[in-house]
Every structure is written in C-alpha cells, then in structure tokens.
Amino acid sequence: MTKPRFLQIHTLHSYTAALLNRDDTGQAKRLVYGGTTRTRISSQSLKRHWRKAENDPHALKQLAGYVDSFRSRELVTEKVIKPLRGHFADEIVNALEPAFQKLVYGDSGAKGKKSRQTLLLGEPEITWLAARAAEIAASAADAKAAEKAVADWAKDKNFKTMTEGASLPGGLTAALFGRMVTSDPAANIDAPVHVAHAFTIHPAESEDDYFTAVDDLKRDDDDSGADTIQETELTSGLYYGYVVIDLPGLIKNCGEDRELAARVVHNLLYLIAEVSPGAKLGSTAPYGRAELMLVEAGDRQPRSLSTAYREAVGHSFAKGRDALARQLAAFDEAYATGEARRHLSIEGELPGIDKTPLSELAAWAAGQVKDAPDADD
C-alpha cells in the first residue's frame, strides 16, 4: 500500500430510550434516507462531546502538547479588556476596546455582542492580544493617546501577525475541526477531521414520554395530583457513524509535529468509540460504546459506507454488521483501492479483516501517522 493519506472510521453505536440531539422544537433530529425516516445525531453534537470530554482519560486536554482555545463572542471583552480594568484608567481601557473588537471580529466587532460571530481563538492568539493591549494601556497618557496608539498599531495587524512562531495558534480544537474567520480569511483553518451526521440504520423508533413531578411539601388539603406534567420524546436506535481524518492536514495543523498528531489520532479513536452524545443525562443515562468500529488507512479519496443502509435493515446488530461487510466487498470489487484495515466487534467479525480490541486498534491507527505523506506531497 502507498502512504496513507486518510483514515476512515466507521462505527455502529446503540442507544435506548434517549434524546441524544434535539431540534428547535425539542424533538429528536431526523433525516429521510432511502424513503425512510431515521433518527439523526448531528456532526456538531458529536464533535462538541468529543471536544468537551474533559474528565475522560483520553480527553484531548490530557495530551502532551495540548494548546487550549476558547469559542465566544466575548473573547476581547473577557480575555483582553477585562484583565486591564483596575490596573489602568477606565477612560484608557474604554478607548482600547473598540479597536481590539474590530481587529478580531471585523467591522461589526464594536457594534455589540449580538453583531459578532462566535469565533474560536487559541491561547497563543489571546495571550498575544492581551500583551499588546497591556503595553498600549501602560504607555498611553490619556484616552486620546490610547486611541491613536492602538489605531497606528492595528493598521497592519492581522491574525497572521498574532501567530508567528506558534505551532498551534488556534489551539488543538481548531487544528482538528477547523476555523472560519470572516474578518480575516487568512486566519481560516481547514478542518482535517471530517465528521458525518450519524443516523439509524432502521426506521426511527420513538415515543412520547409522559411524566410528572410531585410537590413534596404539598399539604393534605391542597389540590391532589401532580405539581408538574410534561412530555418529552424518547428514541432508541442503532446508529451508523463515519469520520475521516486527513493525515497530512492534521500533521500540518499540529505544526508538523507527527508525534502530537499520532497522539491525537490515538485519543480520538477512544473518544469516538466511548464518548456518548446526549441531553437529559440525569433521566436517560444515554451512555453507550461502539459495538463495531472499522478503521481503514489508504491514499484514495474516502467514501462512506452509508449506502449499506440506504434500505433500512432493521434494528439488528448482526444485520447491520453484515450489511456493512457486503457494501465494503462491493466497493472492493468495483474499485480495488487497497486500504489497510482493522476492526473491533462485540459479536462476530468482518470477513478477512483483523479483529482487535480498542487499545490495539487505536495504536494501529496512530501508527499510520508516521508513514503519512506531507501536505505538499
């Protein structure tokens, strides 16, 4: 096999009586595929739970070389301007804020929180901005001088000047999942981790759960009955998930540090397999692990195996596993792309593919990083 450019990760996860991802009406997200309505988990939800799994032993924050980042409309207000207050005159600090808001958020930055985009900045970028703001505040005699100093300083400043010498300017989150900055396109970071929306391999299974809450302090002479009556939707399902890792892109975004990129791949395999999305944790305990995970390493354009479930196969792990195997064999016969593969499965196996526990699967996937080509190859 030639050098691996892509890792493709296919999973089957099962959840029962849960509300994993809600739409604007509070109902479970759905999609129609093959003429059948399925339950869906959005890619945004999946990525957020992987990012925020802070107490997990394989959390991204546990990695050596991790660089933090913050996503907010208030980055300048909270991280750059607020630390100055109490140390410098309010008139000077107030004069600095509009220019720094505009530098980060563009022309809409100084118009207020609601006008700004929610932006992701890395710790190196925020530290750089905060240091410059403090320097200008310390040297300005009054508000007018502060305005002039920051205006002169900001003329040729952009995100690139903030990040010179930083291997992970936007933090590890941006290095994995990308970043878009409308005020400075040069600051955009392409995402090397591509995440599909997960969906059930069978028709949507749901019911409305009627529940009540009783007032423990209600007196006997009060009206009888529940104090609160509500309804919520609960769903059950076996979900197909698909993730692609562009290895040269990941290595580039990790500052060409292949060791860090390998650690990221290793931990990300664990997070994908073990970290569950889900609201209503206290009332549904929506925790599950991948019952099947197939990892492929190759140099050809990735392709999902979602077509295995274009026709709903029913809520059966064995049927889901076998449909995946058939679709994989069909692609191999038609395209012969020659990916290297490993998998885990709680029941049975995928024919002709080495079956391993997650620890060995994650180590094998991480090992592909050292053989991956550079981004320019």
Side-chain angles (χ1 to χ4, degrees), residues 98-322:
F100 276 90
Q101 296 284 14
K102 183 176 179 180
L103 177 65
V104 172
Y105 293 101
D107 291 337
S108 63
K111 295 179 181 179
K113 176 181 176 180
K114 291 184 178 180
S115 298
R116 304 171 198 146
Q117 69 175 123
T118 301
L119 185 62
L120 181 76
L121 285 190
E123 188 71 57
E125 295 166 327
I126 291 172
T127 299
W128 186 88
L129 280 170
R132 301 294 83 74
E135 288 175 4
I136 295 173
S139 63
D142 53 32
K144 188 173 182 180
E147 285 181 7
K148 184 178 186 307
V150 74
D152 291 342
W153 168 81
K155 283 179 182 177
D156 60 348
K157 297 299 184 291
N158 55 28
F159 278 77
K160 186 175 181 180
T161 61
M162 301 182 208
T163 62
E164 289 177 347
S167 59
L168 286 161
L172 192 60
T173 293
L176 269 65
F177 302 118
R179 176 177 73 183
M180 185 181 74
V181 183
T182 57
S183 63
D184 185 0
N188 293 343
I189 298 174
D190 291 334
V193 180
H194 312 155
V195 183
H197 294 238
F199 65 91
T200 54
I201 67 174
H202 52 79
E205 299 176 346
S206 71
E207 69 172 41
D208 292 329
D209 178 39
Y210 170 93
F211 64 95
T212 65
V214 177
D215 186 339
D216 290 339
L217 300 182
K218 182 177 288 187
R219 298 189 302 271
D220 292 340
D221 58 348
D222 288 342
D223 292 338
S224 61
D227 186 61
T228 300
I229 299 174
Q230 296 184 42
E231 279 190 7
T232 189
E233 184 180 28
L234 295 179
T235 66
S236 298
L238 179 58
Y239 294 79
Y240 169 73
Y242 179 58
V243 178
V244 176
I245 304 176
D246 175 351
L247 293 178
L250 177 63
I251 294 166
K252 179 182 178 181
N253 284 3
C254 287
E256 306 297 338
D257 186 341
R258 287 179 181 254
E259 290 298 322
L260 175 58
R263 292 194 293 271
V264 166
V265 169
H266 177 273
N267 281 27
L268 192 56
L269 261 288
Y270 270 92
L271 294 173
I272 292 170
E274 295 184 344
V275 173
S276 303
K280 301 179 75 66
L281 302 182
S283 59
T284 65
Y287 303 115
R289 295 186 176 179
E291 297 178 41
L292 182 142
M293 174 178 273
L294 166 66
V295 182
E296 305 180 89
D299 67 338
R300 301 283 287 276
Q301 177 179 299
R303 47 88 191 99
S304 168
L305 296 176
S306 60
T307 47
Y309 311 113
R310 182 161 45 209
E311 294 185 12
V313 300
H315 195 155
S316 163
F317 172 75
K319 289 181 178 179
R321 178 200 62 216
D322 294 346

